[in-house]
Amino acid sequence: MRLTVLGCAGSFPGPESACSAYLVEADGFRLLLDFGSGSLSALQRYAGLHAVDAILLSHLHCDHILDAVSYVVVRRYAPEGAYPPIPVYAPSGAPDRLAAAYGQDDVAVSDVYQFYSLQPGTFPIGPFTVTVDRVNHPVETYGVRLEHAGRVLCYSSDTAPCDALLRLAHGADVFLCEASYLDGVDNPPDLHLTGREAGETATKAEVGRLLLTHLVTAWGSEAQTTDAAASTYAGPLEVVRPGSRYEI
Ligand SMILES: [Zn+2]
Ligand SMILES: [Zn+2]
């Protein structure tokens, strides 16, 4: 499978990146993991306006969903005619949240999105075997494990350290893991990971490669985060960029 980073800025768009959105492709099928602020722009640059077969929203924080609102216009009002509904796997509140953000009643986006409520477990999306589980974040949030042709990608979503994340990441070839917080400061609990914690999780889960994401550029330090992760994880690691592609 192939991973393309469309956006990787944590919490709000950064000067060089949209918020979280990751395109994962296999066998010609294109799954979008999260659809954060600004990422619809990057989707057109790195893939294509309609280069999506299904969407998975890990949780309903703005920085992971807001361009799914803009995307309603893209599909509903396409000059060539409205596109058929696209599957959206998301927490159960997604239909109301997206409709409210769009500004109409609660059926406002049902012509564009076919919603499926996420619950912990394993299920197929296209050619992928998908496992999701609740992680440690203040709202209903799912970490994601994608398997295809014997290869494994784990996406942390937003989370503080937790056992569910260790299980999802176990033995993954690539672990796309958030590292929002700096080490060495007094961070609030049960929200996000630091670089050190991302590295610790990667080591415990015995992953093959660590890709750090969801750094908050304005408040953080990429160098500090990378060094902190390298102090607890000896394998290959890097901070992802918009447009980065990885063959997994
Ligand atoms: Zn976030
Ligand atoms: Zn969040």
Side-chain angles (χ1 to χ4, degrees):
M1 61 183 130
R2 181 169 75 172
L3 165 67
T4 303
V5 177
L6 301 181
C8 51
S11 302
F12 52 86
E16 307 294 340
S17 180
C19 287
S20 296
Y22 309 95
L23 189 69
V24 188
E25 301 170 78
D27 298 345
F29 189 94
R30 290 162 294 204
L31 171 64
L32 187 59
L33 294 179
D34 285 339
F35 210 166
S37 320
S39 62
L40 180 54
S41 172
L43 176 68
Q44 297 168 79
R45 174 176 294 191
Y46 299 115
L49 194 55
H50 295 286
V52 181
D53 293 301
I55 299 168
L56 191 157
L57 302 176
S58 65
H59 66 304
L60 300 183
H61 278 161
C62 295
D63 59 316
H64 297 255
I65 66 166
L66 274 186
D67 273 19
V69 181
S70 303
Y71 200 52
V72 170
V73 175
V74 171
R75 297 188 72 90
R76 181 182 288 163
Y77 300 112
E80 62 271 31
Y83 281 69
I86 184 173
V88 175
Y89 301 81
S92 57
D96 288 347
R97 183 69 60 85
L98 295 182
Y102 192 81
Q104 296 181 25
D105 61 31
D106 63 359
V107 296
V109 297
S110 59
D111 59 321
V112 172
Y113 295 132
Q114 173 72 50
F115 290 99
Y116 299 91
S117 291
L118 287 173
Q119 294 183 352
T122 300
F123 54 96
I125 300 178
F128 302 105
T129 299
V130 183
T131 301
V132 299
D133 203 354
R134 291 282 298 269
V135 290
N136 187 7
H137 201 53
V139 300
E140 181 182 353
T141 303
Y142 293 88
V144 182
R145 179 183 177 94
L146 289 182
E147 301 181 49
H148 178 265
R151 306 291 283 176
V152 179
L153 165 66
C154 176
Y155 169 47
S156 67
S157 182
D158 287 4
T159 184
C162 63
D163 288 343
L165 183 60
L166 283 175
R167 290 193 297 271
L168 290 167
H170 183 72
D173 297 286
V174 170
F175 181 31
L176 177 63
C177 185
E178 74 121 292
S180 306
Y181 285 153
L182 286 177
D183 287 285
V185 295
D186 198 14
N187 297 306
D190 302 320
L191 271 175
H192 289 295
L193 295 164
T194 67
R196 181 180 56 75
E197 290 167 336
E200 284 173 353
T201 304
T203 296
K204 287 180 188 169
E206 301 179 323
V207 306
R209 184 176 191 181
L210 174 59
L211 302 180
L212 298 169
T213 191
H214 204 278
L215 278 66
V216 185
T217 304
W219 296 341
S221 161
E222 187 174 311
Q224 276 188 44
T225 298
T226 304
D227 289 349
S231 73
T232 51
Y233 176 68
L237 71 87
E238 64 185 80
V239 175
V240 301
R241 316 260 173 226
S244 294
R245 279 202 157 133
Y246 303 92
E247 298 292 339
I248 301 169

